[in-house]
Amino acid sequence: MNTMTNRRSRISNHRSQTSDLRSQITNFRSQITNFKALCLALLCGAMILLLNSDARAQAKITKESFGKTADGQNVDLYTLRNSRGAEVRITNYGGTVTSLKMPDRNGTFADIVLGFDNLDDYLKATAYFGAIIGRYGNRIGKGRFTLHGVEYKLATNNGENHLHGGIKGFDKVVWNAKPLKLANGAALVLTYLSKDGEEGYPGNLSVKVVYTLTNTNDLKIDYSATTDKDTIVNLTHHSYFNLAGQGNGDILNHRLWINAARFTPTDAGSIPTGELRNVHGTPFDFTRLTAIGARINQDYEQLKLGKGYDHNFVLNGRMGVLRRVARASDSTSGRVMEVWTTEPGIQFYSGNFLDGTLTGKDGKVYQQRSGFCLETQHYPDSPNKPAFPATLLRKGARYHTTTIYRFSAGR
Ligand code: BGC
């Protein structure tokens, strides 16, 4: 009897030990699972920290003196460098981009905008290399426009017409500058107060332009402005690009796409006639990637008048919506530039008036067509063309446009 009882109790002990062991194993398993989850969370956290600190640590801004204007104002030069080593240099004289370094398909950097090494050359220059253009980018016929029944006479500096804001446009003034470090790159905030009557324009115009170099090789430009009296505004940027590197030959083999079904033909003074002409069947059709030089010498009146391309293209898509409107590429380096904008138009200028008389950075001589501009904008002479999108800025309203030059490199 005793032996039976002992055996039973041993069996029951054994069972309870087995169940203890099972529960210990289960506990141990769940601890392992928890530990794994903890490790994974720690690893993810470390990676996020690393990525963020990497981007912040590597996007850098430095400032140096660039000299003085004739009237003694100090001018600075800012260098913005992103986490991939791309770099833009901007001076607060004219908000000018003096150099822009982007990689080719092998990761080799080159400066892809035309410009000068020193401030004195910018003070003398008339080509608007890399500058902010305002108050009105492009031309206003006879330098006149009427607003609320009042005729305003602007400075004329291009024959009988007004070009790029007049004799002393936004490209020739000293802007206030404030560098800004961002999680995705670096920025330079430029501000300028254009006084009522400056170059003939009405209203005190308070202007802000923010250049951002992102860690994904975008050069983004945000333009904004407010006024204390109704006025007109049309701001743009005037870099001359050569994707093979500045001073490295002409841009005639660059291939270009512009998302525009129409362009605005001009008279002999480059003032739009008012016609919106279909590009189909003309040398102005860039709706398929075409070399800039493929048709530039064709016997087509508009090319003769502009001495090449110097025309506003009517961009497809909705004005006010940031959309891809142009793409240029250079097959030797593989560099590609896309242009995105909220604007309704783009001036494609093929550097026709460069003639070898300007010597730029590194002693490079800029021959005809050694750079091209893609200036996002409202159409030229809009204040005198009621059918064009309006450039009126009302007191109390805010002007705001965005343009992105996006760089990459392909095969
Ligand atoms: C104009 C050209 C002008 C050039 C430099 C361009 O935006 O369309 O006609 O020659 O700027 O001044």
Side-chain angles (χ1 to χ4, degrees):
M1 192 59 190
N2 256 348
T3 332
M4 271 295 270
T5 321
N6 278 345
R7 197 175 282 162
R8 270 199 196 121
S9 107
R10 255 187 280 139
I11 289 171
S12 131
N13 266 349
H14 190 68
R15 275 194 188 136
S16 98
Q17 275 171 8
T18 312
S19 124
D20 274 358
L21 205 64
R22 270 203 197 113
S23 91
Q24 273 174 21
I25 288 172
T26 317
N27 266 345
F28 189 61
R29 273 199 186 132
S30 96
Q31 274 170 15
I32 286 180
T33 315
N34 283 345
F35 184 68
K36 271 188 191 158
L38 186 72
C39 285
L40 201 68
L42 281 174
L43 200 72
C44 286
M47 272 172 70
I48 288 168
L49 271 178
L50 206 71
L51 283 175
N52 275 341
S53 67
D54 187 51
R56 280 211 193 97
Q58 291 188 29
K60 282 200 188 101
I61 309 176
T62 54
K63 174 185 168 183
E64 63 198 88
S65 170
F66 200 41
K68 275 184 198 293
T69 59
D71 58 355
Q73 292 184 78
N74 288 323
V75 174
D76 294 315
L77 184 64
Y78 294 83
T79 304
L80 280 58
R81 180 181 254 263
N82 73 9
S83 61
R84 295 189 187 181
E87 186 192 281
V88 61
R89 297 185 128 204
I90 304 166
T91 168
N92 60 333
Y93 178 73
T96 303
V97 169
T98 64
S99 104
L100 180 62
K101 291 185 182 147
M102 286 292 164
D104 68 4
R105 64 164 71 85
N106 302 315
T108 307
F109 286 86
D111 182 358
I112 55 165
V113 293
L114 275 50
F116 300 113
D117 293 314
N118 58 79
L119 179 62
D120 282 349
D121 284 346
Y122 281 104
L123 298 177
K124 286 183 271 173
T126 53
Y128 302 90
F129 285 155
I132 293 169
I133 308 293
R135 290 191 193 187
Y136 199 98
N138 219 312
R139 292 174 175 80
I140 296 180
K142 299 195 170 62
R144 285 175 197 195
F145 69 97
T146 302
L147 185 58
H148 307 320
V150 179
E151 188 185 59
Y152 291 93
K153 293 195 176 85
L154 304 171
T156 49
N157 57 332
N158 189 243
E160 59 175 5
N161 301 322
H162 175 87
L163 173 68
H164 292 338
I167 296 160
K168 193 173 179 186
F170 291 176
D171 58 298
K172 292 183 189 69
V173 302
V174 178
W175 295 63
N176 293 313
K178 212 176 99 196
L180 206 64
K181 273 200 182 171
L182 303 169
N184 70 334
L188 189 69
V189 181
L190 295 167
T191 50
Y192 175 67
L193 175 67
S194 171
K195 296 267 175 63
D196 188 12
E198 193 175 279
E199 300 298 297
Y201 291 101
N204 288 298
L205 187 77
S206 177
V207 193
K208 182 159 131 183
V209 175
V210 184
Y211 282 106
T212 306
L213 177 65
T214 71
N215 288 332
T216 48
N217 294 353
D218 280 2
L219 179 65
K220 180 172 173 236
I221 314 177
D222 282 295
Y223 305 86
S224 53
T226 53
T227 178
D228 61 0
K229 191 172 168 185
D230 288 6
T231 189
I232 55 166
V233 194
N234 186 29
L235 305 176
T236 190
H237 173 78
H238 211 291
S239 273
Y240 289 65
F241 298 97
N242 185 329
L243 299 177
Q246 68 95 19
N248 200 357
D250 64 46
I251 45 76
L252 295 174
N253 287 328
H254 280 47
R255 303 215 303 157
L256 181 65
W257 169 78
I258 304 178
N259 191 19
R262 292 171 299 170
F263 75 106
T264 50
T266 69
D267 65 16
S270 291
I271 301 297
T273 57
E275 179 191 353
L276 303 183
R277 188 176 296 174
N278 198 315
V279 296
H280 187 69
T282 79
F284 286 72
D285 188 352
F286 283 95
T287 56
R288 285 196 194 150
L289 261 187
T290 311
I292 291 176
R295 300 160 301 185
I296 203 166
N297 293 319
Q298 275 186 17
D299 188 13
Y300 188 77
E301 188 210 19
Q302 286 299 314
L303 286 173
K304 301 270 175 235
L305 288 176
K307 296 198 167 46
Y309 297 101
D310 190 4
H311 290 78
N312 171 66
F313 286 69
V314 175
L315 295 171
N316 296 339
R318 277 240 313 274
M319 172 173 99
V321 174
L322 187 65
R323 64 219 189 278
R324 191 166 65 127
V325 297
R327 182 184 196 273
S329 59
D330 163 52
S331 62
T332 57
S333 64
R335 287 194 190 87
V336 175
M337 177 176 84
E338 286 182 2
V339 185
W340 293 63
T341 193
T342 56
E343 287 282 29
I346 201 165
Q347 183 85 3
F348 167 41
Y349 171 54
S350 51
N352 313 319
F353 300 112
L354 298 173
D355 57 3
T357 53
L358 290 177
T359 301
K361 291 174 280 188
D362 302 329
K364 302 281 186 181
V365 174
Y366 297 139
Q367 303 291 353
Q368 193 187 35
R369 299 181 183 142
S370 53
F372 68 98
C373 304
L374 285 170
E375 305 153 56
T376 54
Q377 60 180 10
H378 273 55
Y379 314 160
D381 203 31
S382 297
N384 297 310
K385 300 278 187 308
F388 288 179
T391 49
L392 169 71
L393 178 67
R394 288 192 191 278
K395 176 183 173 179
R398 190 174 187 79
Y399 168 95
H400 184 226
T401 69
T402 300
T403 292
I404 299 173
Y405 296 97
R406 174 165 293 169
F407 297 93
S408 58
R411 303 196 131 263

